[in-house]
């Protein structure tokens, strides 16, 4: 387990901290500690009080991973990590899952969720409002569509499944839910000058869940 705000004994070195935890877990994890120390590039001979927030996060990750647990629970594990170390962590988590073990982690970074997760649980105000496979959520995710057209030409009738996000002279930005072919058939008859269709965006889907839940709570 790795807490979101991990704390250690400030007067211990990183090495002493891991040695204590190794002993508490029955010893035998020294090789894995050494491997993870290299993976996360952490100086274990400094006292924890001198560690930056990112270094403390690395120490927390090593202590959570070092005994190869069957269930790994991480709360915002990439906090304060630089991009290279973040990628190293992603590789470790993928390897953990490939080994048949379970990783449960919380994150507000949706690109991280898309890159790593097989299943996603969405929590709103302490309630679980969705639990689904990432592939299914991608199918539900909306596409962002941007149209550019001659301002003299008016686009009045919109197909079912298109919701306008913003509209300016000669430009329309909308969210699309539904089959792509239906959208393409409609576009073929509009005479637009240019169109951008972005890939499905989970962030918009998450925001829709939060917005709908807020409306229900207020009702």
């Amino acid at each position: 387990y790795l807490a979101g705000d991990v704390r250690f004994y400030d007067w211990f070195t990183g090495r002493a901290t891991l040695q204590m935890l190794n002993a508490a877990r029955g010893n035998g994890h020294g090789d894995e500690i050494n491997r993870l120390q290299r993976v996360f590039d952490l100086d274990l001979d400094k006292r924890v009080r001198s560690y930056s927030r990112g270094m403390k996060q690395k120490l927390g990750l090593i202590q959570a991973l070092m005994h190869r647990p069957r269930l790994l629970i991480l709360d915002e594990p990439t906090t304060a990590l630089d991009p290279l170390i973040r990628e190293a962590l992603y590789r470790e988590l993928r390897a953990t899952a490939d080994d048949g073990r379970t990783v449960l982690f919380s994150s507000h970074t949706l690109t991280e969720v898309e890159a790593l997760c097989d299943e996603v649980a969405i929590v709103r105000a302490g309630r679980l409002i969705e639990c689904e496979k990432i592939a299914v959520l991608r199918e539900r995710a909306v596409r962002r569509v941007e149209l550019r057209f001659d301002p003299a030409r008016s686009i009045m009738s919109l197909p079912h499944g298109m919701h306008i996000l913003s509209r300016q002279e000669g430009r329309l930005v909308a969210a699309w839910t539904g089959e792509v072919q239906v959208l393409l058939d409609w576009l073929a008859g509009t005479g637009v000058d240019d169109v951008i269709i972005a890939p499905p965006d989970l962030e918009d889907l998450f925001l829709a869940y939060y917005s709908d839940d807020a409306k229900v709570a207020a009702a």
Side-chain angles (χ1 to χ4, degrees), residues 147 149 153-155 157 159 183-193:
L147 309 178
F149 48 89
R153 182 186 295 116
S154 176
I155 296 181
S157 177
L183 173 62
L184 295 177
D185 291 342
W186 176 77
L187 287 171
T190 61
V192 296
D193 297 325

Side-chain angles (χ1 to χ4, degrees), residues 35-44 55 58 62 82 85 88:
R35 185 188 72 83
L36 291 168
Q37 182 270 330
R38 294 191 296 271
V39 167
F40 294 119
D41 189 25
L42 179 63
D43 185 347
L44 294 178
M55 293 172 74
K58 292 178 185 181
I62 294 173
D82 65 52
I85 299 300

